[in-house]
Amino acid sequence: MTRTVTLLQGEGIGPEVMAVALRVVEAVTTKIKFETYPIGVSAWEETGSPLPEDTLRSVLRNRVALKGPVATPRSRDAYRSVNILMRQPLGLFAQLRPVRSWPGLTTPAGIDLVVAREITEDYLAGIEFAATTPAARAMTELIEKEAGHQMDPTAAISVKTISEHATRRFFTLLFEWARKSGRRRITVAHKATVQRATDGLFLEVARDVAAIVSHSSAEIELDDCLVDTLAANLARQPARYDVIAASALYGDILSDLAGAITGGLGLGPGVNFGDDVAVFETAHGTAPRLAGLDRANPTATVLCAAMMLEHLGEATAASSIRRAVGEVLATSSRLTYDLESLRPCAIVGTAEFGDLLVEQLLSGDELRRDIRQAGDEE
């Protein structure tokens, strides 16, 4: 049975790295059909919206999307982050970013962790009041009255929100995903010693969900760590962690840190989950300085495609992609520029690196037969 997936190529290096990912998918399965829709600046210029209704309808209809990076204008007058704009209409609330060691690269060994974050709340929900506006002044007066905290009248204000409902939904999904994925421990990142109301609630709900889960399964351990201590531990002993769970801002920072430790964001895939929708996207951005230069590392997007295939039930094809990536990273004398510092190599461009991956995938008749046969069975 063929599955249709919404393809959102993105901006900057997005179309280049996505082209490689599509070639890799085509090499391992004939059961995925892509329909392409616009997103970001090009969509905004064409339709007046960075996230057109037709694009949203396609994702909701197909329930799976493969998405490239999208830029967020830094002007205060421009539209908000498309990634944030997508979350409510698609019902996305949990983001998972796997991070691992790759043999052959001079990075710490033994790392195989996932940074998971709740993505509808926290500071990144975008509840802000610009400095000196009437709304900011009203918030300042309210804070002074209710909290007794003297405010600078010129302050801009961002609001951090953590709710029991959103946190419980996040941890319920995360524990179920961890169980299915064979994970054994979830570490909650927080600063409940200072932000007692918000981070305290996040940690309390995590423990409550863990207690409920433990009645039916004792497979997954829950512990917690102050976010600053956890960041230091990641830098020193990253292999000690299995799954790190965090609110939106902490998780964003920790996933970038973990990615840098294991070779950079060019190797980092990710997925956003809702109850019935999954959007697969990399941890890296549009990298405009590399756009159109055939230099970007497509590995993260290729690994996103592997995660997507696994989600769609094509586990053999997904495993074949990961093995091919591992073999090329470990043994090839040609790598993209960002990996040169991790292993001596000749530098190749995006498209040629894609050639290496496809050649590795199709290097043996037995491998091709296994992939096709598994696809027929699935």
Side-chain angles (χ1 to χ4, degrees):
M1 177 182 175
T2 300
R3 277 295 301 267
T4 302
V5 172
T6 302
L7 180 66
L8 309 172
Q9 293 194 346
E11 302 163 336
I13 62 173
E16 298 169 73
V17 296
M18 193 65 76
V20 172
L22 296 182
R23 290 174 56 203
V24 167
V25 170
E26 186 180 85
V28 296
T29 181
T30 60
K31 295 190 174 184
I32 304 298
K33 173 186 175 184
F34 290 98
E35 56 180 33
T36 304
Y37 280 84
I39 193 171
V41 172
S42 61
W44 184 50
E45 293 173 345
E46 182 179 339
T47 69
S49 171
L51 187 60
E53 286 297 321
D54 285 349
T55 299
L56 284 173
R57 280 194 290 268
S58 173
V59 180
L60 288 169
R61 181 174 62 250
N62 296 324
R63 303 194 304 280
V64 176
L66 183 61
K67 174 183 170 293
V70 180
T72 300
R74 299 192 177 186
S75 167
R76 289 187 299 176
D77 300 325
Y79 55 81
R80 291 178 63 198
S81 163
V82 174
N83 291 337
I84 293 176
L85 290 173
M86 292 180 71
R87 289 168 189 167
Q88 184 173 358
L90 297 178
L92 304 173
F93 60 85
Q95 182 181 85
L96 278 62
R97 289 178 172 173
V99 178
R100 56 161 293 181
S101 303
W102 291 98
L105 303 183
T106 55
T107 59
I111 302 172
D112 179 15
L113 66 90
V114 175
V115 179
R117 62 180 186 136
E118 203 286 331
I119 56 175
T120 68
E121 297 191 313
D122 198 11
Y123 291 118
L124 300 191
I127 305 172
E128 294 194 304
F129 303 90
T132 71
T133 61
R137 286 195 292 272
M139 286 295 296
T140 295
E141 293 171 2
L142 178 65
I143 292 168
E144 289 180 343
K145 178 183 176 182
E146 299 297 334
H149 182 83
Q150 187 64 37
M151 296 284 292
D152 187 320
T154 65
I157 300 172
S158 292
V159 178
K160 173 171 179 168
T161 62
I162 301 290
S163 71
E164 180 180 353
H165 166 73
T167 305
R168 187 173 300 277
R169 179 177 62 175
F170 167 69
F171 276 105
T172 299
L173 181 146
L174 183 58
F175 270 93
E176 178 62 17
W177 175 88
R179 183 188 65 78
K180 291 180 178 178
S181 303
R183 297 286 173 169
R184 293 292 180 263
R185 181 163 55 94
I186 295 175
T187 302
V188 182
H190 65 91
K191 197 69 174 177
T193 51
V194 177
Q195 299 193 7
R196 298 178 185 275
T198 50
D199 285 21
L201 178 61
F202 192 80
L203 180 57
E204 178 185 329
V205 173
R207 289 170 173 167
D208 186 45
V209 174
I212 294 171
V213 170
S214 68
H215 288 300
S216 58
S217 172
E219 297 173 355
I220 301 171
E221 173 190 354
L222 182 78
D223 62 9
D224 67 274
C225 186
L226 294 176
V227 65
D228 46 344
T229 302
L230 199 156
N233 291 342
L234 268 180
R236 292 194 298 260
Q237 296 177 300
R240 67 188 289 182
Y241 292 103
D242 188 6
V243 178
I244 297 172
S247 54
L249 183 58
Y250 298 156
D252 200 18
I253 295 168
L254 291 173
S255 67
D256 279 11
L257 171 59
I261 291 169
T262 53
L265 297 184
L267 301 175
V271 58
N272 302 298
F273 281 125
D275 288 326
D276 196 39
V277 175
V279 177
F280 296 84
E281 65 176 353
T282 64
H284 67 66
T286 58
R289 64 185 179 84
L290 300 179
L293 299 181
D294 188 38
R295 294 193 68 206
N297 185 348
T299 303
T301 306
V302 169
L303 293 173
C304 278
M307 291 179 70
M308 178 196 73
L309 290 173
E310 189 167 49
H311 177 73
L312 293 174
E314 294 207 38
T316 302
S319 296
S320 297
I321 291 174
R322 294 189 183 105
R323 283 198 301 271
V325 168
E327 189 67 21
V328 169
L329 292 178
T331 65
S332 176
S333 61
R334 296 172 290 165
L335 299 172
T336 51
Y337 83 98
D338 57 311
L339 302 177
E340 183 184 22
S341 63
L342 302 178
R343 185 159 62 78
C345 62
I347 297 176
V348 297
T350 308
E352 186 173 345
F353 190 78
D355 292 340
L356 297 175
L357 292 175
V358 173
E359 288 170 8
Q360 181 63 41
L361 278 168
L362 303 181
S363 60
D365 292 337
E366 182 178 349
L367 175 60
R368 285 200 299 273
R369 185 170 59 250
D370 288 346
I371 293 172
R372 298 295 179 177
Q373 181 178 350
D376 291 341
E377 293 171 352
E378 293 163 356

